Amino acid sequence: MFGMTKQISPDVVWTEAGDEVRLYDTNTGEFQRLNESGAVIWRMLAQPTEETDVADRLVAEYAPEDSEGQRVIRRDVARFIDDMTKRSLLVDANAD
């Protein structure tokens, strides 16, 4: 999964509310609220971004010298991106 460039689906309308991000999927009519951690990742994906770049930036900021912390960050980023992709909230940037 890593190595793919992801972007927010054009079918998603979103806004920031404090530390949260609120999403509206225009295809399903569903609203979602991302917590602070999810919101940080989401904001990074506001521009098409390589999945590995998201994880690398978070590792550099939160766990530059903590190998276990790095592993957890990379795992959590992969899970978040996978979940949002399965829900069609994130899409491959190169897919037309």
Side-chain angles (χ1 to χ4, degrees):
M1 168 164 263
F2 278 117
M4 302 271 313
T5 300
K6 294 292 184 176
Q7 67 184 24
I8 297 169
S9 168
D11 298 322
V12 175
V13 177
W14 63 283
T15 187
E16 298 184 53
D19 291 336
E20 296 178 339
V21 167
R22 296 178 184 170
L23 312 174
Y24 175 68
D25 184 342
T26 60
N27 282 331
T28 64
E30 293 182 5
F31 287 93
Q32 290 195 35
R33 186 179 310 179
L34 301 179
N35 65 17
E36 185 177 353
S37 298
V40 168
I41 298 168
W42 188 264
R43 287 182 193 106
M44 289 183 185
L45 294 163
Q47 297 294 320
T49 305
E50 285 267 338
E51 296 175 45
T52 51
D53 291 343
V54 173
D56 289 347
R57 287 173 56 192
L58 291 173
V59 161
E61 185 170 344
Y62 296 106
E65 297 180 21
D66 176 5
S67 61
E68 177 62 15
Q70 292 174 12
R71 186 189 66 74
V72 169
I73 288 169
R74 291 184 191 287
R75 180 200 66 205
D76 290 351
V77 167
R79 286 181 179 169
F80 177 86
I81 290 175
D82 184 53
D83 182 52
M84 294 292 114
T85 301
K86 285 178 181 173
R87 295 178 190 206
S88 299
L89 301 172
L90 293 176
V91 296
D92 292 339
N94 301 331
D96 292 329

